[in-house]
Amino acid sequence: MFGENEKNLSKQKDFWIEFFAGRRDGGHRSSAEEFLSMEAREKLFHLDGGKTLLDFGCGAGELLVYYAPEYEKMIGVDFSASMLDEASKRIRERKCRNISLIQADDKTVWNKLECSFDRITAAGVIQYLTLQEIDNFIFNASSCLNKGGKIVLFDILDPRLYPLWKIGLFSQDASFWNILRKIGFEFKVVLAASLNNRPRDILGFAHNPNAIKKVADKYSFETTFVKSMYYEYKYHAIIEQTKG
């Protein structure tokens, strides 16, 4: 049973790798620069300073270039070559000379780093990791974190709110019949995914805040959870070294 579960998770990972292989945008709610600027400001507020930053899963660099004026040195990491190609173009256009890019995933990135960081962040990425992979990520990140540093995991799917968002409960045109139609649509999606051995949800796994907290507690971190300002079905986890 355990082996079958591992096999299914491996198939899901392969699907997501293929899905993102040729992507050139980070999947933000809007690609308008005005929106990206506002989203970046919210995230900078929670990052709350530091001089060096590692942005894991930086995608096309939409937020990375807005972080740049606030940091002396930044490294953006993504496994997708096409995403990094777009990020490189953005960095050149904005003349951000304090940003370097690395192609790696959550397992290989740590051996490619040559320094430690005041802030390690990931936005819209944790949903593609299992809880055990999140555990490994926090453990590895902790060894690359400067004293007084923070790990900030942005935009984690909230299992309490995400299903409601999917059926349109937060939509401006929410009605009984619209919600019913969306429930039917989601049922078909789940059924088709099961029959084709694909992930039930292209957006990945929803993780309960308590599960994230248990992992952070394990490595003696303090965790604060904050609701996402621009994605009503997501939350942020601010993971800090314990004081004293």
Side-chain angles (χ1 to χ4, degrees):
M1 184 72 178
F2 178 76
E4 188 65 27
N5 186 51
E6 289 295 301
K7 191 184 295 182
N8 289 335
L9 287 175
S10 178
K11 287 180 179 178
Q12 291 184 28
K13 289 285 185 183
D14 291 341
F15 177 84
W16 283 322
I17 289 171
E18 185 178 342
F19 177 78
F20 283 107
R23 287 285 296 270
R24 292 185 171 273
D25 69 89
H28 297 268
R29 174 162 280 177
S30 170
S31 59
E33 291 300 325
E34 182 181 1
F35 176 83
L36 293 173
S37 174
M38 291 190 301
E39 186 180 340
R41 283 201 298 270
E42 179 214 8
K43 288 172 167 57
L44 282 167
F45 176 81
H46 295 305
L47 286 168
D48 190 27
K51 294 182 178 180
T52 54
L53 180 140
L54 171 69
D55 184 6
F56 178 77
C58 67
E62 290 102 327
L63 299 178
L64 197 61
V65 293
Y66 283 104
Y67 297 162
E70 307 299 324
Y71 290 89
E72 293 179 4
K73 180 178 180 181
M74 303 171 59
I75 294 180
V77 179
D78 207 281
F79 78 86
S80 169
S82 59
M83 289 283 208
L84 289 177
D85 184 51
E86 287 299 310
S88 181
K89 290 177 184 176
R90 285 178 179 271
I91 290 167
R92 288 197 301 271
E93 288 170 1
R94 301 292 184 94
K95 298 180 180 178
C96 301
R97 295 181 177 85
N98 57 337
I99 302 176
S100 301
L101 298 174
I102 294 176
Q103 185 173 5
D105 60 23
D106 58 297
K107 298 177 182 64
T108 59
V109 59
W110 312 108
N111 291 328
K112 295 187 177 186
L113 301 175
E114 298 179 350
C115 62
S116 55
F117 302 88
D118 297 327
R119 300 289 184 268
I120 296 177
T121 186
V125 174
I126 295 304
Q127 64 215 50
Y128 297 108
L129 304 182
T130 65
L131 197 58
Q132 182 56 56
E133 288 171 330
I134 293 172
D135 187 309
N136 295 339
F137 183 90
I138 291 175
F139 170 74
N140 287 318
S142 66
S143 66
C144 297
L145 203 61
N146 292 332
K147 186 176 180 180
K150 295 180 184 179
I151 302 168
V152 187
L153 308 178
F154 288 120
D155 299 325
I156 304 170
L157 294 179
D158 191 330
R160 302 160 300 181
L161 298 174
Y162 183 49
L164 303 180
W165 176 80
K166 287 184 72 178
I167 63 172
L169 200 62
F170 299 146
S171 175
Q172 290 182 350
D173 63 347
S175 68
F176 174 77
W177 293 112
N178 283 342
I179 289 172
L180 196 62
R181 278 195 291 269
K182 288 193 176 183
I183 290 173
F185 174 76
E186 289 300 327
F187 177 77
K188 290 179 182 178
V189 169
V190 170
L191 181 61
S194 298
L195 292 174
N196 293 292
N197 290 319
R198 287 161 56 174
R200 290 185 177 184
D201 197 321
I202 193 62
L203 289 185
F205 307 109
H207 294 292
N208 192 291
N210 288 332
I212 302 293
K213 185 177 186 305
K214 284 181 181 179
V215 174
D217 287 349
K218 180 178 173 182
Y219 299 111
S220 301
F221 284 104
E222 293 178 350
T223 310
T224 303
F225 297 103
V226 182
K227 191 176 183 301
S228 173
M229 184 180 294
Y230 295 104
Y231 302 89
E232 58 273 8
Y233 53 97
K234 297 181 179 183
Y235 67 92
H236 310 318
I238 303 167
I239 301 170
E240 304 180 66
Q241 296 168 338
T242 53
K243 300 176 176 64

